[in-house]
Amino acid sequence: MEIRPIRTQTDYQEALQEIELLFNAAPNTPESDRLDVLSTLVEAYEKAHFPIEIPDPIEAIQYYIDTRGWSRRDLESCIGSRARVSEILSRKRSLTLEMIRKLNQELGIPAEILIQPYQSIQTPA
């Protein structure tokens, strides 16, 4: 396969097959250079054609605690009382700026995820 822009699904599949063949290429060889260029082309194609949407803030927080084996209690230092954590995770209350800062600083959840608007459940008064 000659190196050229990836414009179609066929081009993409061919590039992936070539990458698989070159995957164990020794460093600093023409094969590793080819692997590097093909990988860059595939990455650009995937970014344009298969974008990954960032999760909403509550999904991100839930994912964070699920993947670490945490409980809701572990979020109290960032969000507040057990009741407040429950309200946030059930979407009955929105995150405050202070909560966003703490979740970002203490847990490492990116601020660009936490500041997004998200669907909350409004209860009648």
Side-chain angles (χ1 to χ4, degrees):
M1 174 180 169
E2 68 182 63
I3 294 186
R4 63 185 188 286
I6 299 173
R7 294 188 176 105
T8 66
Q9 184 68 21
T10 301
D11 293 342
Y12 174 66
Q13 291 301 323
E14 288 174 3
L16 289 177
Q17 290 172 355
E18 179 99 10
I19 286 171
E20 190 173 330
L21 294 173
L22 296 169
F23 197 72
N24 293 317
N28 301 317
T29 62
E31 291 81 14
S32 71
D33 291 345
R34 185 175 183 81
L35 174 62
D36 187 38
V37 171
L38 284 171
S39 298
T40 301
L41 291 171
V42 164
E43 182 180 346
Y45 181 85
E46 289 175 343
K47 188 173 185 179
H49 292 87
F50 309 115
I52 298 174
E53 294 182 24
I54 56 176
D56 86 348
I58 304 307
E59 290 171 354
I61 294 167
Q62 191 62 53
Y63 175 80
Y64 188 94
I65 64 174
D66 289 347
T67 59
R68 286 156 182 82
W70 284 19
S71 69
R72 290 177 170 213
R73 173 171 260 166
D74 295 313
L75 293 175
E76 291 177 15
S77 65
C78 296
I79 294 177
S81 68
R82 184 180 304 169
R84 184 61 40 94
V85 170
S86 179
E87 290 172 338
I88 295 293
L89 294 180
S90 64
R91 300 174 184 266
K92 292 180 181 174
R93 183 181 291 271
S94 297
L95 290 167
T96 66
L97 184 57
E98 187 62 29
M99 290 174 195
I100 290 170
R101 284 185 181 132
K102 286 182 179 180
L103 289 164
N104 173 254
Q105 292 170 352
E106 294 181 26
L107 306 182
I109 300 174
E112 39 296 341
I113 291 175
L114 295 170
I115 63 172
Q116 294 181 93
Y118 61 94
Q119 190 75 22
S120 62
I121 300 171
Q122 299 297 323
T123 55

